[in-house]
């Protein structure tokens, strides 16, 4: 896990140096100011926004108690960041998921390698694993804007589904006619979705999208979507590790300019294996956190849907057309649509109750209806933008390679 516990370890320090060099070159090549992403943003401003959100989702809790919780969360995550180019709170979230996975492993079972998580403006929606020759660590590189993007998309999707509030609960309808009526009567989520996609792909930073807090009735579902995305992304990398994909025998290629740095290569089979393990781990994580099984995988489902839409956005802005079948099959990762289908098949094979499986797939279909509507609204705009000369941010230029 990414902590500062290896501060006196030369092996750890080599990986730290590699990450810092990748971050410095990544921000420079992308033409981005790290302050837009990172903890260098004024802490008082950040804390004030977090306090407002906590007030929204914690009615009845005193402001003093919420401030104490905010302080505790900051203290717990203070050692999370590997470098000064990280937001310790974001990595603190990842660490808690990582700890939950490792704590849940069978007694005596050890990971083949220790995972370190870091962020770089890579222009890649899929993570990549890097190792230093002879190191016991594996550096997991996530795009610096990935979770900010996921958070904003989760809020847009939550706002697009029909919601019913009672004294005892909040529920969402998955009936196609009701979903369509909600979209027709509430156009704001479509605009929010377009805003974050363009901020991420054109602006290079999802935080360029307009900030807003969801209404209280939407918080539970948007929070479950976001938590599910975060859990699955972390669990997927642990899936690779547990499956032996990060072993010393793994196929690699030279990575970056630092001697001994190698990128670990994967293929479709390995990605499906990691997805399978991640599905089981995510179900366990989310149910342990009190989420209904039917909601446990919808975040992963949304994550894959978003990967597909980012690919398409980059392609249209770069070339004026959607990706070709050849481009799709040439990638190291399987098409997002196939990966979405696999997670529900794994859920079924794992013995999920019929009722939970049916509820999960119904919700998946409703979410697909929402994201399809989002895309139908956005795609013509992208073609117009391409004709006007708008192109993806520099970090995304190699996305179609």
């Amino acid at each position: 896990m990414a902590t500062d516990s290896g501060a006196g370890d030369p092996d750890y320090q080599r990986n730290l140096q590699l990450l810092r060099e990748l971050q410095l070159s990544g921000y420079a090549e992308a033409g981005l100011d790290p302050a837009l992403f990172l903890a260098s943003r004024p802490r008082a401003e950040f804390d004030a926004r977090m306090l407002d959100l906590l007030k929204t989702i914690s009615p009845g809790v005193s402001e003093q108690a919420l401030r104490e919780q905010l302080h505790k969360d900051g203290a717990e995550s203070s050692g999370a960041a590997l470098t000064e180019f990280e937001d310790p709170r974001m990595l603190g979230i990842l660490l808690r998921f990582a700890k939950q996975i490792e704590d849940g492993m069978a007694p005596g079972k050890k990971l083949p390698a220790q995972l370190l998580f870091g962020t770089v403006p890579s222009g890649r929606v899929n993570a990549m694993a890097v190792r230093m020759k002879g190191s016991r660590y594996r550096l997991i590189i996530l795009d610096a804007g990935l979770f900010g993007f996921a958070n904003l998309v989760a809020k847009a999707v939550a706002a697009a589904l029909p919601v019913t509030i009672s004294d005892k609960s909040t529920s969402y309808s998955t009936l196609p006619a009701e979903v369509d009526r909600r979209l027709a009567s509430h156009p704001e989520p479509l605009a929010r979705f377009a805003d974050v996609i363009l901020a991420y792909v054109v602006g290079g930073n999802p935080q360029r999208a307009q900030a807003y807090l969801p209404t209280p009735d939407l918080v539970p579902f948007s929070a479950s979507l976001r938590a599910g995305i975060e859990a699955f992304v972390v669990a997927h990398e642990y899936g690779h590790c547990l499956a032996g994909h990060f072993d010393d025998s793994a196929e690699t290629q030279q990575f970056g300019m630092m001697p001994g740095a190698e990128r670990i290569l994967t293929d479709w089979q390995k990605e499906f294996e990691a997805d399978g393990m991640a599905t089981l781990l995510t179900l366990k994580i989310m149910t342990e956190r009190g989420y209904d099984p039917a909601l446990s995988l919808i975040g992963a489902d949304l994550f894959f849907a978003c990967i597909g839409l980012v690919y398409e956005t980059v392609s249209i802005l770069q070339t004026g057309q959607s990706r070709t079948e050849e481009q799709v099959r040439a990638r190291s990762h399987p098409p997002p649509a196939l990966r979405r289908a696999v997670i529900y098949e794994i859920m079924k094979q794992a013995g999920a109750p019929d009722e939970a499986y049916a509820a999960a797939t119904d919700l998946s279909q409703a979410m697909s209806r929402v994201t399809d509507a989002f895309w139908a609204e956005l795609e013509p705009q992208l073609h117009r933008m391409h004709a006007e000369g708008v192109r993806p941010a520099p970090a995304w230029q190699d996305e179609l390679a």
Side-chain angles (χ1 to χ4, degrees):
M1 293 183 291
T3 70
D4 60 0
S5 59
D9 178 1
D11 187 11
Y12 178 93
Q13 290 299 323
R14 284 200 304 154
N15 284 274
L16 196 67
Q17 181 183 352
L18 172 61
L19 176 59
R20 186 177 285 111
E21 289 186 5
L22 291 174
Q23 290 169 329
L24 286 169
S25 63
Y27 282 107
E29 291 173 6
L32 297 174
D33 178 3
L36 294 174
F37 288 81
L38 310 172
S40 54
R41 290 172 296 190
R43 179 56 60 192
E45 176 186 338
F46 183 90
D47 285 349
R49 291 181 61 189
M50 287 299 296
L51 183 62
D52 287 341
L53 177 58
L54 288 173
K55 287 178 181 178
T56 302
I57 64 179
S58 307
V61 180
S62 70
E63 181 170 323
Q64 179 60 32
L66 294 176
R67 287 186 181 277
E68 290 175 358
Q69 181 62 47
L70 190 62
H71 177 75
K72 179 182 177 183
D73 288 345
E76 287 180 350
S77 63
S78 61
L82 291 176
T83 76
E84 66 274 23
F85 296 100
E86 303 282 4
D87 185 335
R89 293 177 187 272
M90 190 276 282
L91 285 183
I93 292 171
L94 298 183
L95 276 180
R96 286 191 280 274
F97 283 117
K99 185 177 187 300
Q100 191 173 352
I101 291 172
E102 294 192 14
D103 288 350
M105 291 173 60
K109 185 174 180 60
K110 293 184 178 181
L111 288 168
Q114 186 171 350
L115 303 187
L116 302 175
F117 290 89
T119 60
V120 174
S122 62
R124 296 178 182 272
V125 287
N126 289 297
M128 58 180 168
V130 179
R131 75 178 185 196
M132 298 294 293
K133 286 185 178 179
S135 176
R136 70 179 184 278
Y137 294 103
R138 300 296 182 264
L139 186 58
I140 308 302
I141 304 296
L142 305 172
D143 184 72
L146 180 60
F147 285 114
F149 171 73
N151 176 49
L152 292 170
V153 167
K155 291 194 292 186
V157 169
L161 286 175
V163 61
T164 301
I165 305 174
S166 68
D167 293 337
K168 296 182 179 180
S169 65
T170 299
S171 61
Y172 296 85
S173 174
T174 60
L175 296 176
E178 293 186 8
V179 172
D180 290 346
R181 281 197 294 271
R182 172 77 178 186
L183 288 167
S185 61
H186 292 76
E188 182 181 2
L190 285 81
R192 294 288 191 188
F193 178 81
D195 188 28
V196 66
I197 284 277
L198 294 176
Y200 196 22
V201 174
V202 178
N205 179 4
Q207 302 304 332
R208 294 183 186 274
Q210 183 179 359
Y212 68 101
L213 290 174
T215 56
D217 56 307
L218 301 179
V219 168
F221 186 49
S222 64
S224 69
L225 286 170
R226 187 185 67 251
I229 293 171
E230 294 164 348
F232 189 88
V233 168
V234 176
H236 178 85
E237 300 310 319
Y238 274 90
H240 275 305
C241 194
L242 290 167
H245 302 163
F246 294 165
D247 291 357
D248 290 342
S249 59
E251 183 182 0
T252 62
Q253 65 181 24
Q254 176 65 32
F255 183 73
M257 301 300 293
M258 190 169 179
E262 301 173 326
R263 180 180 177 184
I264 299 175
L265 303 179
T266 65
D267 54 33
W268 284 23
Q269 181 61 38
K270 290 177 180 178
E271 292 302 327
F272 281 132
E273 290 175 4
D275 284 345
M277 290 192 175
T279 298
L280 300 178
L281 289 170
T282 301
L283 283 168
K284 184 175 184 294
I285 290 170
M286 297 293 281
T287 53
E288 286 177 351
R289 293 187 173 209
Y291 288 100
D292 188 289
L295 287 174
S296 295
L297 293 179
I298 192 63
D301 192 349
L302 176 59
F303 176 63
F304 287 136
C306 288
I307 287 177
L309 295 181
V310 168
Y311 285 162
E312 290 301 308
T313 298
V314 172
S315 179
I316 291 174
L317 289 178
Q318 185 71 11
T319 70
Q321 58 188 6
S322 296
R323 295 176 300 157
T324 65
E325 186 68 20
E326 182 180 359
Q327 287 173 318
V328 171
R329 294 195 172 279
R331 301 192 64 86
S332 62
H333 289 68
L338 289 180
R339 301 178 75 180
R340 293 176 70 183
V342 164
I343 62 174
Y344 290 108
E345 182 60 29
I346 296 293
M347 180 185 186
K348 187 176 183 179
Q349 292 176 7
D354 291 344
E355 183 178 350
Y357 175 77
T361 52
D362 283 349
L363 184 56
S364 173
Q365 291 172 7
M367 190 194 70
S368 294
R369 200 169 188 87
V370 168
T371 54
D372 286 349
F374 286 171
W375 183 248
E377 184 80 9
L378 178 60
E379 186 179 15
Q381 182 181 349
L382 295 174
H383 285 287
R384 291 194 296 271
M385 293 173 69
H386 172 79
E388 294 167 359
V390 177
R391 297 293 181 266
W396 297 98
Q397 294 299 321
D398 294 332
E399 180 59 36
L400 297 179

